[in-house]
Amino acid sequence: VPIRGYGLEPLLNDDFASSNFSALWSSSGRGDLAVIRAMGANAVRLYGDDPALNHGPFLDEASSLGLRVLVGISDYPYIQMADSCKHTLFDCYDVIKRQYSQLLQSGFLLENRSYHPALQTVVLANEPDLKFFVGAAAMDQIVFSRGLLSALDGVLSAEREHGVVGPLPNLTATFSFGICSTCTEFANKAAGRSGGHQPP
């Protein structure tokens, strides 16, 4: 079910870490971050990230509460925008470099060109195994590997161009537990798991 706005229209932006949604997370609003911290959490994972919006206040609030932040590059530059990676057979270098450069300027970096101390991890892509494919060739390992590696290259180039200094956030990609029906091996196992070793 899509999230609805106040007038029940579909919500057009899912970047809840922006200043636009401070009424939800800030201490002057509903205080969601403080509630998350009070529940014993030490980190919050985000998905949406509109580079046109300011993320500095969210990161400041999280830091003041002792929360680390894991941000993700959303699907938008990969598969949704007009010139997304899917139109370049998932050579994502240019698209992600441009997107990440804007994110660095929207609160990820402090004035001294170091990362915001609350920023712990950047998720390059969410479930590329389910989304990075060309035509009907779902779970194409070459395609999603190209997508991830070229995205990583784009992120590193954006950091270099901005002269980033100091400690860097971790970089990762999150994979699904989906079944790969087109895989030649383990096609009936979630996340490519073999049937041999089972956890205790």
Side-chain angles (χ1 to χ4, degrees):
V1 176
I3 297 173
R4 300 288 176 173
Y6 180 73
L8 301 181
E9 69 281 356
L11 192 61
L12 299 177
N13 194 309
D14 65 352
D15 187 349
F16 293 102
S18 72
S19 297
N20 293 2
F21 288 95
S22 62
L24 299 178
W25 50 258
S26 75
S27 57
S28 62
R30 193 167 72 182
D32 289 359
L33 285 176
V35 170
I36 290 168
R37 184 64 176 135
M39 290 171 44
N42 61 9
V44 60
R45 158 79 152 88
L46 303 170
Y47 172 74
D49 61 356
D50 185 338
L53 302 177
N54 184 10
H55 302 96
F58 180 91
L59 294 169
D60 291 342
E61 183 89 7
S63 184
S64 75
L65 294 167
L67 285 169
R68 305 292 291 185
V69 179
L70 294 79
V71 297
I73 298 176
S74 73
D75 288 347
Y76 187 71
Y78 290 108
I79 60 174
Q80 295 170 339
M81 63 190 255
D83 61 343
S84 70
C85 297
K86 73 179 181 181
H87 300 295
T88 60
L89 300 178
F90 288 94
D91 178 351
C92 299
Y93 176 82
D94 290 328
V95 171
I96 298 302
K97 180 182 174 192
R98 186 170 53 249
Q99 181 94 354
Y100 200 71
S101 180
Q102 292 173 315
L103 286 169
L104 291 173
Q105 297 172 72
S106 71
F108 284 20
L109 289 184
L110 302 175
E111 286 184 22
N112 67 2
R113 295 176 295 140
S114 67
Y115 272 100
H116 194 289
L119 193 57
Q120 177 182 345
T121 301
V122 174
V123 180
L124 293 174
N126 190 51
E127 300 180 332
D129 50 319
L130 299 181
K131 301 167 187 162
F132 290 15
F133 57 87
V134 179
M139 279 291 278
D140 183 330
Q141 295 157 348
I142 292 173
V143 170
F144 76 69
S145 295
R146 179 189 311 125
L148 285 176
L149 292 173
S150 61
L152 173 61
D153 243 2
V155 165
L156 296 176
S157 290
E159 287 179 336
R160 208 168 17 256
E161 281 189 5
H162 285 274
V164 174
V165 297
L168 302 172
N170 298 315
L171 299 174
T172 191
T174 56
F175 284 79
S176 76
F177 283 93
I179 301 291
C180 174
S181 59
T182 60
C183 292
T184 57
E185 193 175 355
F186 309 126
N188 63 343
K189 307 288 184 200
R193 253 177 69 132
S194 69
H197 177 264
Q198 298 296 323

